[in-house]
Amino acid sequence: MRILLLCSSFNGLTQRSWLELRRAGHDVSVELAVSEEAMVEAAELAKPDLIICPFLKERVPDALWRTHRTVIVHPGPPGDRGPSSLDWAIVDGEPEWGVTALQAVEEMDAGPIWGYRLFPMPAEPPRKSSLYNGPVADAAVELVAEVAAKAGDASFVPVPLDYRSPEVRGRLRRAMRHADREFSWAEPSEQILRRVRAADGSPGGRTVLGELPVRVFDVYRGPDLPGTPGAVAARREGAVLVHTGDGTVWVGHLRVEREGAVKLPAAMALGELVAGLPERPGYSEITYDRSVGVGVVSFDFYNGAMSSEQCRRLASALRYAAAQDTRVLVVRGGETFSNGIHLNVIEASPQPELEAWMNINAINAVCREILDCTGQLVVTSMAGNAGAGGVMMGLGADRVIVRESVVLNPHYRTMGLFGSEYWTYVLPRRVGAERAWRLTQEALPIGAAEAVELGLADKAVAGSRMEFERRVLEYAERLAADPGYDRLLAARRQGREADERRKPLDAYRAEELAEMSRDMFDDRNGFRQARQAFVYKAPAQATPEHLARHREWSGASAPSIASTSHM
């Protein structure tokens, strides 16, 4: 079928839906909901058999749902309605939640039901972003495939919403207000965790810290220490430890409530207010563990962004791991594997261009540690999505293993950058020069199955993040005990030596950085504007041409990607 995806942004869930539908053989186009006129025009051009809205904050125009089958994916169980569904589910401690596919009608979220999925909520209050990108997205992608299949069945009729039905357990919930997101440090840690995580990553929990009005994100339980609620007790790796009514919480990120302020690591946001505080163990973005013959460097950076300082710490951890007497090194990412350089920290710097330059050099050092590790076999464990330099960082390993739900965006073009992280070496080495060029130019997402088919990854593994990490570790242990281990390690060394003789890594780095200097300092391709639009969440003005297939369907073709490329 011809399917039009209407969305507020081409986010992770929309990308997964796009990938799933295309893999099923459908012709899929995307339109961002920048205006009612744009949505209606897109449908007129596309003449779709079906419109699906996997992530849509705006109301579907009457002219669309009255003339086209339009299905909304709502992040709540049948009967749930309102724009703050996940927020309330976390705050209220719902034991079970779900996702519903329903037909668009005049009243929002009140249309007949095409299908739904239910899932148990974690006992520990989840971050809204984790819930959305995890079980919600998994359920939503299943539903999108189910909706497409049902749309092809002429006998299918969606079920009217009926609150008398035992399956309909949701209700209309009002939008969360600013007051609903406010909290006091005198409250118990559990309540603070729930309130903040219900607003993570947007708009954050509202409170005052150090006499500054702030938005709070990225909180974790701290030790049970006595102290004045709201007093900052310590700092660690960019986070600060704050006393609550019955203990402490670690706060990873803050945004001070003032014009132009951006979300930053908490210690950086508070600046001089916490500069003299002691460092205290108990919070760490990077850990090292050992099992039988295997060393595991785990890192979990908020939203996958890696600042210069975080990169330096990760490079140091990898250097330490490479020096240990293990046979396999696993490089394990977190909820998001990595999205490359830290655009918020760059934007907040007094000299953003210089900070960007330092950041790209620091992440290059991380990549170099992986590439230069020839005393052990290296396995990359990608349980979460990756983009730009984060993808390239993982490709330096011998084996790249991805979770089946992972989406990779192996390109830099949409940010106005040529890219570095040795991508001109690691990407062609895996997929060939022609395909590497296409991946970076088309700037389209790649699903796990396609990544394996292309050679970008070696294996896709199903299961939860915990199950995935267990299976990757078991694989690494088998690799360490493999009778052919010495041969595999010798092949890694010999391959690296041969590649180095052909063209040194320093040459790749120098060529990439020459291009990046023009992007960062001369701003030849709009990096400054793209960065600021990302950091300040500027609404899109139009749908990117490479996503809008309906313009091709109608004959209103856009310029080719090659003709608009900066590379």
Side-chain angles (χ1 to χ4, degrees):
M1 291 184 293
R2 276 190 177 182
I3 298 177
L4 176 64
L5 295 183
L6 281 183
C7 54
S8 297
S9 74
F10 196 51
N11 67 353
L13 171 54
T14 308
Q15 291 182 21
R16 284 184 63 185
S17 301
W18 181 85
L19 287 162
E20 179 74 22
L21 292 168
R22 282 166 51 98
R23 198 158 183 83
H26 302 294
D27 205 347
V28 189
S29 185
V30 175
E31 181 70 21
L32 301 184
V34 297
S35 69
E36 283 200 7
E37 294 75 17
M39 289 189 273
V40 171
E41 182 192 13
E44 290 173 349
L45 290 173
K47 297 179 174 55
D49 303 302
L50 178 67
I51 296 175
I52 300 179
C53 309
F55 170 63
L56 187 66
K57 296 179 180 179
E58 295 75 15
R59 188 178 180 279
V60 177
D62 290 356
L64 276 191
W65 64 261
R66 290 187 189 279
T67 56
H68 297 84
R69 286 185 300 179
T70 303
V71 179
I72 309 287
V73 177
H74 176 75
D80 180 81
R81 297 168 60 196
S84 304
S85 294
L86 296 183
D87 315 58
W88 286 118
I90 296 168
V91 166
D92 293 343
E94 294 284 354
E96 184 180 63
W97 205 240
V99 179
T100 306
L102 46 91
Q103 193 154 319
V105 295
E106 187 166 5
E107 194 173 357
M108 288 188 73
D109 303 333
I113 295 169
W114 283 60
Y116 67 91
R117 295 287 188 279
L118 301 176
F119 54 81
M121 288 281 279
E124 173 78 3
R127 289 200 332 219
K128 182 171 67 171
S129 53
S130 304
L131 183 64
Y132 182 82
N133 292 317
V136 169
D138 292 344
V141 170
E142 283 186 18
L143 275 177
V144 164
E146 180 182 319
V147 165
K150 286 177 174 175
D153 179 1
S155 66
F156 172 75
V157 178
V159 180
L161 176 62
D162 182 358
Y163 281 96
R164 295 169 298 180
S165 168
E167 293 183 347
V168 178
R169 287 173 279 176
R171 66 182 192 274
L172 174 63
R173 300 170 188 245
R174 62 174 172 81
M176 268 204 175
R177 307 184 183 106
H178 287 319
D180 297 314
R181 304 193 186 279
E182 292 174 355
F183 69 91
S184 163
W185 296 107
E187 295 174 30
S189 297
E190 174 73 18
Q191 287 181 218
I192 293 172
L193 284 171
R194 201 169 284 283
R195 185 77 58 189
V196 173
R197 288 181 177 176
D200 207 333
S202 178
R206 292 162 58 97
T207 191
V208 174
L209 188 58
E211 299 185 0
L212 291 173
V214 294
R215 297 284 184 126
V216 180
F217 309 85
D218 188 27
V219 292
Y220 304 87
R221 298 179 193 276
D224 187 11
L225 298 174
T228 305
V232 183
R235 53 184 288 170
R236 170 81 172 174
E237 294 184 0
V240 296
L241 184 66
V242 184
H243 287 288
T244 67
D246 63 353
T248 62
V249 293
W250 285 102
V251 176
H253 285 75
L254 293 171
R255 186 176 75 239
V256 178
E257 295 267 44
R258 62 168 176 255
E259 189 174 353
V262 302
K263 187 192 304 184
L264 292 169
M268 183 180 294
L270 295 173
E272 291 300 317
L273 291 175
V274 298
L277 288 176
E279 290 268 337
R280 179 186 175 90
Y283 170 92
S284 186
E285 297 173 309
I286 305 169
T287 58
Y288 178 73
D289 300 287
R290 292 176 61 136
S291 66
V292 183
V294 178
V296 182
V297 172
S298 301
F299 57 95
D300 196 350
F301 299 129
Y302 185 67
N303 291 339
M306 298 171 61
S307 68
S308 302
E309 193 265 335
Q310 288 169 318
C311 289
R312 284 190 283 269
R313 283 192 277 110
L314 181 55
S316 177
L318 290 168
R319 207 158 36 246
Y320 172 84
Q324 304 308 302
D325 60 345
T326 51
R327 293 161 69 87
V328 176
L329 169 60
V330 175
V331 181
R332 175 194 286 168
E335 182 182 313
T336 301
F337 181 79
S338 171
N339 283 318
I341 58 178
H342 203 309
L343 299 175
N344 281 38
V345 170
I346 290 168
E347 182 61 26
S349 170
Q351 297 178 285
E353 290 74 25
L354 181 59
E355 178 57 37
W357 183 250
M358 292 171 61
N359 202 163
I360 199 66
N361 277 277
I363 199 170
N364 278 351
V366 173
C367 300
R368 190 64 178 262
E369 292 296 336
I370 295 171
L371 287 166
D372 282 345
C373 178
T374 55
Q376 303 177 33
L377 294 177
V378 184
V379 175
T380 297
S381 173
M382 289 189 177
N385 296 347
V391 177
M392 309 309 172
M393 183 179 82
L395 299 186
D398 300 281
R399 305 284 189 276
V400 177
I401 306 179
V402 296
R403 195 164 149 233
E404 274 191 347
S405 60
V406 158
V407 176
L408 305 179
N409 277 279
H411 56 83
Y412 306 82
R413 195 171 67 88
T414 54
M415 196 49 64
L417 294 173
F418 177 85
S420 193
E421 292 97 359
Y422 299 94
W423 80 261
T424 53
Y425 169 65
V426 296
L427 189 59
R429 185 179 64 160
R430 277 195 158 262
V431 303
E434 183 179 341
R435 190 167 279 162
W437 181 261
R438 180 170 61 81
L439 289 173
T440 53
Q441 291 304 290
E442 288 183 345
L444 293 172
I446 302 296
E450 187 180 359
V452 173
E453 290 166 3
L454 293 174
L456 202 62
D458 297 290
K459 188 176 179 61
V461 175
S464 68
R465 177 178 161 188
M466 187 178 298
E467 291 167 339
F468 171 81
E469 290 177 350
R470 176 182 56 79
R471 291 181 64 183
V472 173
L473 182 59
E474 289 171 352
Y475 169 79
E477 289 172 345
R478 290 196 301 273
L479 196 58
D482 192 305
Y485 173 85
D486 291 338
R487 175 180 50 80
L488 293 171
L489 185 61
R492 174 175 173 82
R493 285 177 177 152
Q494 291 163 8
R496 181 80 282 285
E497 288 168 1
D499 287 350
E500 191 69 10
R501 286 192 300 270
R502 192 176 303 114
K503 182 176 179 179
L505 285 176
D506 285 343
Y508 289 100
R509 177 178 176 273
E511 290 169 358
E512 292 169 1
L513 290 178
E515 299 286 349
M516 288 290 272
S517 69
R518 296 174 66 192
D519 291 335
M520 289 178 168
F521 294 106
D522 300 336
D523 198 32
R524 63 173 172 170
N525 288 299
F527 171 56
R528 185 179 299 116
Q529 183 179 351
R531 181 185 74 233
Q532 291 173 347
F534 175 86
V535 168
Y536 295 109
K537 304 295 183 281
Q541 300 302 305
T543 302
E545 296 289 355
H546 65 289
L547 300 178
R549 292 264 300 141
H550 50 278
R551 305 198 188 284
E552 297 176 26
W553 298 342
S554 68
S557 296
S560 70
I561 288 173
S563 69
T564 58
S565 167
H566 70 274
M567 292 174 63

